Amino acid sequence: MLLVENVQKSFRLPDGSTLPILNVPRFAVAAGEQLALVGGSGSGKTTLLHIIAGITRPDTGRVEIDGTDITKLNEAARDLFRANKLGYIFQTFNLLAGFTALENVLLGMSFCGRKPDEARARQLLERVGLGKRFDHKPAMLSVGEQQRTAVARALVNRPKVLLADEPTASIDSRHQQQVLDLIRETCREENVALVLVTHAPTVSEQFPRVERLEELNQLAAA
Ligand SMILES: Nc1ncnc2c1ncn2[C@@H]1O[C@H](COP(=O)(O)OP(=O)(O)OP(=O)(O)O)[C@@H](O)[C@H]1O
Ligand SMILES: [Mg+2]
């Protein structure tokens, strides 16, 4: 479902020098597979997720999702592809402050070129325990509720791949397990491949597969 091959990424610094971050020969995830991605802070986990999502372009290499190499698409095609095939739960939730929980989830649908399915948006919000919070804007939601809204938004288009960047880092431990279970159950039900970044051993040990970024990345070994 997901194949990253020979991907290299360097950042250009203000002084004109380049800072190599990633050199990943191969990273493959099967349809419906669930894995935890772990690694030190600054090791490149978010950068790798951004490259998989087409938010950041790699310097070289290919990123194949459901048979399409997204590095070959132009920006508009990549945006449409991302909206239809990928869900992304950001490390910082990225909810829009001026819109309610329901509108935030519905907005996730507005970029995919299909008819918005409000029933699906409501059903997902109910699923994450926000059935009574449809009309709350982010400022009127607890941090855990904001994260749960972001979970609903990421799943609303029935993606093939869900990328989750520390989705439970800013919520209390009781809701942490609840949100994690919800993400994993929904992915299982809908056969979504899940790559979930975490620093918490209590989270990663629940996954059948755990990848260390330092092992995927040849630069870390060098
Ligand atoms: N736009 C950028 N320009 C220059 N350097 C960058 C840029 N974005 C990230 N970096 C550097 O790339 C490295 C990897 O960053 P990244 O955000 O991928 O780390 P991470 O593994 O997600 O860390 P964390 O666990 O703290 O979230 C860091 O050392 C960071 O300083
Ligand atoms: Mg990160």
Side-chain angles (χ1 to χ4, degrees):
M1 181 51 62
L2 167 66
L3 177 62
V4 170
E5 248 178 1
N6 300 321
V7 158
Q8 298 192 28
K9 180 70 192 174
S10 302
F11 287 112
R12 185 163 286 280
L13 299 179
D15 69 6
S17 63
T18 55
L19 175 66
I21 300 289
L22 291 176
N23 178 3
V24 177
R26 189 183 155 87
F27 173 52
V29 185
E33 192 178 12
Q34 302 197 348
L35 73 93
L37 180 61
V38 302
S41 177
S43 60
K45 303 180 297 298
T46 298
T47 305
L48 179 60
L49 291 197
H50 281 181
I51 287 172
I52 293 170
I55 297 167
T56 301
R57 218 183 237 284
D59 304 330
T60 60
R62 45 194 278 121
V63 176
E64 205 178 287
I65 296 168
D66 201 14
T68 299
D69 181 356
I70 60 158
T71 64
K72 300 270 192 302
L73 301 177
N74 67 30
E75 207 175 313
R78 207 163 55 232
D79 287 347
L80 191 64
F81 186 86
R82 182 193 307 129
N84 278 293
K85 302 279 180 159
L86 271 176
Y88 202 115
I89 305 172
F90 292 89
Q91 204 164 4
T92 52
F93 322 138
N94 286 11
L95 296 177
L96 295 172
F99 295 89
T100 67
L102 182 61
E103 288 165 346
N104 264 284
V105 176
L106 283 169
L107 273 169
M109 287 177 160
S110 61
F111 307 108
C112 73
R114 282 179 270 156
K115 211 163 110 256
D117 179 353
E118 189 166 334
R120 165 96 175 149
R122 287 176 182 274
Q123 176 216 333
L124 277 169
L125 278 171
E126 268 160 20
R127 187 80 213 278
V128 299
L130 293 178
K132 296 198 162 62
R133 296 286 185 275
F134 288 162
D135 300 325
H136 286 229
K137 292 183 179 172
M140 298 147 62
L141 293 168
S142 76
V143 175
E145 288 171 345
Q146 290 175 45
Q147 185 59 311
R148 285 184 275 152
T149 305
V151 170
R153 183 186 54 186
L155 290 168
V156 77
N157 290 334
R158 303 181 191 278
K160 300 271 192 204
V161 178
L162 178 63
L163 306 172
D165 201 348
E166 299 193 54
T168 58
S170 30
I171 38 194
D172 67 79
S173 54
R174 190 168 60 89
H175 283 113
Q176 254 173 31
Q177 190 60 48
Q178 214 178 310
V179 168
L180 182 66
D181 290 344
L182 172 89
I183 293 172
R184 296 194 61 199
E185 275 164 32
T186 316
C187 286
R188 217 174 287 130
E189 281 166 21
E190 303 191 354
N191 203 36
V192 180
L194 171 64
V195 178
L196 185 140
V197 170
T198 182
H199 280 117
T202 52
V203 172
S204 58
E205 71 194 7
Q206 299 180 36
F207 281 78
R209 177 176 167 198
V210 179
E211 291 288 349
R212 283 202 68 78
L213 193 96
E214 289 87 345
E215 276 161 29
L216 295 174
N217 186 10
Q218 296 221 312
L219 288 179

